[in-house]
């Protein structure tokens, strides 16, 4: 084989190899390839091994089908009360139609960013500062709804929108910090006063209950003392009644004379006068009869002759 033939053979082999290389396309997982034939869209290649016509078909773009996270720089936004706040946003989106993402918009990332900025200004522009700071979820929901509807024709689905930070001006931040400190001090003072009030109420309730318990205890003690005194008097009265009954029985059984009874009566009178309450001693009207009876004890009996 001559040198010329060898060169021709090498050229043919190289051309065939290059054609085969241009014919076989291996597409990675979660990626789609846009194929144009003679300058027009032909088809979309799925992940794996694909065959194309060399020199006629060409790969326009490789589209990533995974969910993408894009953080946009802070954007100045004016609220309804004419305050400028700086808002950072994060967009989570995914390409669902590679053909639309390639041919419906020149650069879908720039389109999503600009649409986010304009939508954010429209949403926040209808809120005051306080509502903007406390309504992140409402802002996220509004942004997601508008973005998902607008980017649908681009073959993009917006899954989630998050506000990273909402930064009001420094002067407003200082005023808000002072207001929060004042509110915290106010709540602390209210809680302290409420605690003192509750403590005073509890102390008064405790004192009231203690007083009630003391009064109840004293009343029960008085009742018990009165019952004990009544039982004691009843027992003494019963004892006295038993003693009187025994004496009365003994007297009747002994059949005492009139002079003996008078003598016992005189012996009892000093005992009656011993009491502390007896300031005045009144002699009974029967005293004369008693003395007369006693006189009979010392008078000798008359003889029958006299």
């Amino acid at each position: 084989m001559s040198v010329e033939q060898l060169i021709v053979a090498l050229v043919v082999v190289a051309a065939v190899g290059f054609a085969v290389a241009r014919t076989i396309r291996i597409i990675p997982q979660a990626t789609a390839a846009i194929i144009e034939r003679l300058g027009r869209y032909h088809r979309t290649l799925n992940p794996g091994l694909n065959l194309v016509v060399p020199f006629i078909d060409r790969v326009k773009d490789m589209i990533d089908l995974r969910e993408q996270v894009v953080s946009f720089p802070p954007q100045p936004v004016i609220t309804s009360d004419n305050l400028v706040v700086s808002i950072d946003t994060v967009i989570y989106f995914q390409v669902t139609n590679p053909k639309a993402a390639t041919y419906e918009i020149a650069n879908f990332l720039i389109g999503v960013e600009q649409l986010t900025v304009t939508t954010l200004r429209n949403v926040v522009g209808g809120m005051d500062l306080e509502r903007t700071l406390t309504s992140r979820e409402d802002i996220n929901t509004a942004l997601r709804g508008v973005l998902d509807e607008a980017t649908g024709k681009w073959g993009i689905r917006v899954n989630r929108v998050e506000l990273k930070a909402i930064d009001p001006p420094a002067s407003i931040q200082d005023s808000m910090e002072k207001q929060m400190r004042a509110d915290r001090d106010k709540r602390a003072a209210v809680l302290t006063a409420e605690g003192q009030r509750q403590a005073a109420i509890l102390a008064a309730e405790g004192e009231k209950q203690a007083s009630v318990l003391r009064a109840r205890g004293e009343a029960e003690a008085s009742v018990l003392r009165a019952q004990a005194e009544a039982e004691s008097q009843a027992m003494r009265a019963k004892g006295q009644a038993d003693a009187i009954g025994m004496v009365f029985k003994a007297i009747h059984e002994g059949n005492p004379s009139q002079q003996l009874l008078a003598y016992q009566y005189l012996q009892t009178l000093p005992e009656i006068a011993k009491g502390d309450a007896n300031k005045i001693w009144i002699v009974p009207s029967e005293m004369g009869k008693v003395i007369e009876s006693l006189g009979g004890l010392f008078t000798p009996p008359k003889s029958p002759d006299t």
Side-chain angles (χ1 to χ4, degrees):
M1 180 180 294
S2 63
V3 178
E4 292 81 1
Q5 292 177 349
L6 181 59
I7 294 174
V8 172
L10 292 175
V11 171
V12 171
V13 171
V16 172
F18 181 74
V20 172
R22 294 293 299 272
T23 301
I24 299 174
R25 293 290 181 178
I26 298 177
I27 307 301
Q29 182 66 31
T31 305
I34 301 299
I35 299 299
E36 289 183 348
R37 175 170 292 180
L38 300 177
R40 297 182 59 185
Y41 171 77
H42 178 59
R43 64 192 177 106
T44 301
L45 300 183
N46 296 320
L49 180 64
N50 295 271
L51 299 178
V52 298
V53 178
F55 308 109
I56 297 178
D57 296 339
R58 75 180 185 92
V59 177
K60 168 67 174 175
D61 284 319
M62 299 287 290
I63 306 299
D64 192 347
L65 300 180
R66 296 173 298 179
E67 185 174 14
Q68 301 182 43
V69 180
V70 179
S71 177
F72 298 135
Q75 300 294 327
V77 181
I78 301 177
T79 61
S80 62
D81 47 358
N82 296 324
L83 294 175
V84 179
V85 294
S86 180
I87 302 179
D88 296 351
T89 55
V90 179
I91 306 295
Y92 298 80
F93 69 93
Q94 186 176 12
V95 176
T96 57
N97 188 342
K99 177 183 177 182
T102 303
Y103 294 104
E104 294 296 334
I105 187 170
N107 190 326
F108 60 84
L109 285 178
I110 297 178
V112 170
E113 179 181 2
Q114 296 302 317
L115 184 60
T116 301
V117 172
T118 55
T119 305
L120 183 63
R121 288 176 177 173
N122 290 334
V123 173
V124 177
M127 300 180 178
D128 56 12
L129 178 61
E130 183 176 358
R131 186 182 174 190
T132 301
L133 295 175
T134 58
S135 304
R136 291 195 176 194
E137 190 63 31
D138 297 338
I139 298 175
N140 294 338
T141 302
L143 283 175
R144 182 180 178 277
V146 174
L147 290 175
D148 194 27
E149 181 180 359
T151 58
K153 63 178 181 180
W154 300 344
I156 297 174
R157 182 178 68 241
V158 177
N159 297 326
R160 191 162 61 255
V161 180
E162 297 291 342
L163 301 182
K164 290 175 58 178
I166 301 176
D167 298 325
S171 59
I172 300 300
Q173 289 183 0
D174 185 61
S175 300
M176 293 173 61
E177 291 177 358
K178 291 181 180 179
Q179 182 179 1
M180 287 187 294
R181 284 196 297 269
D183 290 339
R184 285 194 293 268
D185 294 340
K186 177 182 177 182
R187 287 196 297 268
V190 170
L191 291 176
T192 301
E194 185 66 22
Q196 294 176 352
R197 175 176 173 271
Q198 291 295 333
I201 292 175
L202 292 176
E205 289 291 336
E207 183 63 27
K208 176 183 176 182
Q209 293 179 3
S211 301
V212 171
L213 291 176
R214 284 195 298 270
R216 186 177 299 172
E218 293 175 356
E220 293 178 355
S222 300
V223 171
L224 293 176
R225 286 195 297 269
Q227 291 178 353
E229 183 66 23
E231 292 178 357
S232 176
Q233 292 178 0
M235 293 179 67
R236 286 197 298 269
K238 186 176 183 300
Q240 293 176 358
D242 293 341
I244 293 173
M246 292 175 64
V247 171
F248 184 78
K249 182 178 179 182
I251 291 173
H252 282 278
E253 291 179 354
N255 193 17
S257 63
Q258 185 68 24
Q259 292 78 9
L260 179 61
L261 293 176
Y263 178 72
Q264 290 294 330
Y265 182 74
L266 289 176
Q267 285 184 335
T268 307
L269 288 178
E271 297 295 330
I272 297 174
K274 287 182 180 180
D276 295 336
N278 295 329
K279 304 300 182 181
I280 300 175
W281 189 30
I282 301 174
V283 177
S285 60
E286 293 86 359
M287 182 60 70
K289 295 181 181 181
V290 173
I291 294 173
E292 182 180 353
S293 299
L294 290 176
L297 294 175
F298 301 101
T299 302
K302 295 182 181 180
S303 61
D305 296 333
T306 57

